[in-house]
Amino acid sequence: MPGERVLFLFIDGVGLAAASPSNPLATLPTPALRALLGGPLTADAVGERPGFLLSAIDAGLGVPGRPQSATGQTALFTGKNGAVLLGHHATAFPGPQLRALLAEHSIFRRAAEAGRSVTFANPFTASYWQALEEGRRKASASTLAIRAAGIPFRDLDDLRRGEAVTWDVRRDLFARAADPTLPIVADADAGANLARLGGRNDLTLYETFLTDLAGHHRFGLHVPDAVERVDGLLGGVLAARPSDLTVVLTSDHGNIEDASHKVHTTNPVPLLVVGRAAPAFAGVRSILEVGDRILAVLGVPGETPRER
Ligand SMILES: [Zn+2]
């Protein structure tokens, strides 16, 4: 499909479950999601119409236990099943075997090598890169994949120009570590900035861990706040989305949709697609299949010639 663009919203720790009093996605306001879905983001909202698709897709990777971030994100970004490779789900930051998959097989690399413009909307600070260099922090799956693809990272200058969107959407949490003078931004305006980036690149990745962190009750993050930010961001994206941009939102595993505990769930995750390429995502059953469908929308050929 020449001329199509994709904005890939990776939202950590969001599963799709039935409506219930313990499902915050069913009970919180989520105005943007409700306007789009005609109701909350629950299993009841699954369906398809022109320019829209919502599926419940499996995040279990065929391996017992609760799905985890490193293997889930590797699946989303490469289509490769690192959980089967390792024999288990791997938490948090990818180790050597997953790093190799992310370096070699990411959809970002494959799109860039096919001549598509690819960008990562999240900004990073000099101190983040220094902490990685010094081993005080570990690189996420996204960062590893983007770096291996040779795609430049956005920074605070990009952010001040409105050409980046922080992981916390609003910049207030990001600013504490990065630069306390950074002005905060309305969630919808962050979404509009993201839609603008999406309209200028063939493939744009944005990621947030807000939802997963809130589901784990970490860093003082609360589920209603995390959901409000993500919903506001999505609303801004959809309001500003150019017609050639298809928005693909999905997750690596469930968490936030079950407030009865603070660990991951084995629920499916939502695959929410808005835009004219939505039919290209029909029939996706697993987080392993999302990446190849994105590449197909971008007209990037399959990986077979690269396999060795
Ligand atoms: Zn988690």
Side-chain angles (χ1 to χ4, degrees):
M1 287 186 247
E4 296 299 317
R5 303 175 193 275
V6 172
L7 171 59
F8 186 4
L9 305 180
F10 164 59
I11 314 293
D12 197 352
V14 178
L16 195 63
S20 86
S22 65
N23 181 350
L25 293 172
T27 58
L28 289 168
T30 61
L33 281 165
R34 286 170 190 264
L36 176 68
L37 304 171
L41 181 61
T42 63
D44 290 333
V46 165
E48 254 183 276
R49 59 178 191 266
F52 170 88
L53 174 147
L54 176 66
S55 302
I57 63 172
D58 181 62
L61 300 174
V63 171
R66 296 181 189 275
Q68 301 294 342
S69 288
T71 32
Q73 291 163 27
T74 300
L76 285 172
F77 299 153
T78 69
K80 301 293 177 186
N81 195 330
V84 162
L85 180 74
L86 298 171
H88 59 87
H89 297 285
T91 59
F93 300 102
Q97 286 167 292
L98 299 182
R99 283 172 173 249
L101 292 180
L102 288 159
E104 182 73 10
H105 300 286
S106 87
I107 60 169
F108 314 113
R109 177 174 185 162
R110 287 153 65 191
E113 286 181 353
R116 303 304 185 276
S117 58
V118 182
T119 197
F120 190 12
N122 296 61
F124 294 87
T125 61
S127 59
Y128 171 80
W129 295 118
Q130 194 177 347
L132 274 193
E133 185 83 9
E134 294 170 0
R136 288 181 285 114
R137 294 189 67 155
K138 289 181 179 165
S140 65
S142 55
T143 314
L144 291 162
I146 293 288
R147 188 165 60 183
I151 295 159
F153 287 92
R154 291 176 186 274
D155 60 18
L156 292 189
D157 292 334
D158 296 307
L159 181 63
R160 289 193 187 89
R161 286 195 298 268
E163 294 177 358
V165 179
T166 56
W167 67 271
D168 65 341
V169 179
R170 223 171 268 175
R171 300 184 189 161
D172 53 332
L173 309 174
F174 179 87
R176 285 184 202 163
D179 175 0
T181 69
L182 268 175
I184 65 163
V185 63
D187 302 338
D189 291 341
N193 289 341
L194 195 48
R196 199 170 335 108
L197 277 181
R200 290 208 302 249
N201 292 277
D202 298 317
L203 174 57
T204 302
L205 170 68
Y206 169 75
E207 74 174 354
T208 180
F209 304 108
L210 269 171
T211 32
D212 192 55
L213 293 171
H216 290 308
H217 303 190
R218 288 176 61 199
F219 300 124
L221 288 167
H222 298 291
V223 169
D225 181 37
V227 170
E228 180 182 310
R229 290 173 189 241
V230 171
D231 184 75
L233 177 85
L234 180 66
V237 166
L238 296 180
R241 180 183 66 85
S243 62
D244 61 350
L245 179 66
T246 292
V247 178
V248 178
L249 181 154
T250 193
S251 190
D252 50 352
H253 52 71
N255 180 346
I256 204 168
E257 79 286 1
D258 186 350
S260 69
H261 57 69
K262 54 182 187 179
V263 295
H264 296 174
T265 71
T266 54
N267 288 325
V269 295
L271 173 63
L272 173 61
V273 188
V274 180
R276 62 191 186 193
F281 293 84
V284 170
R285 289 167 192 274
S286 155
I287 57 172
L288 289 164
E289 297 167 56
V290 176
D292 275 347
R293 299 296 180 100
I294 289 174
L295 291 180
V297 168
L298 299 175
V300 176
E303 197 173 33
T304 316
R306 278 195 61 88
E307 298 277 13
R308 51 179 182 251

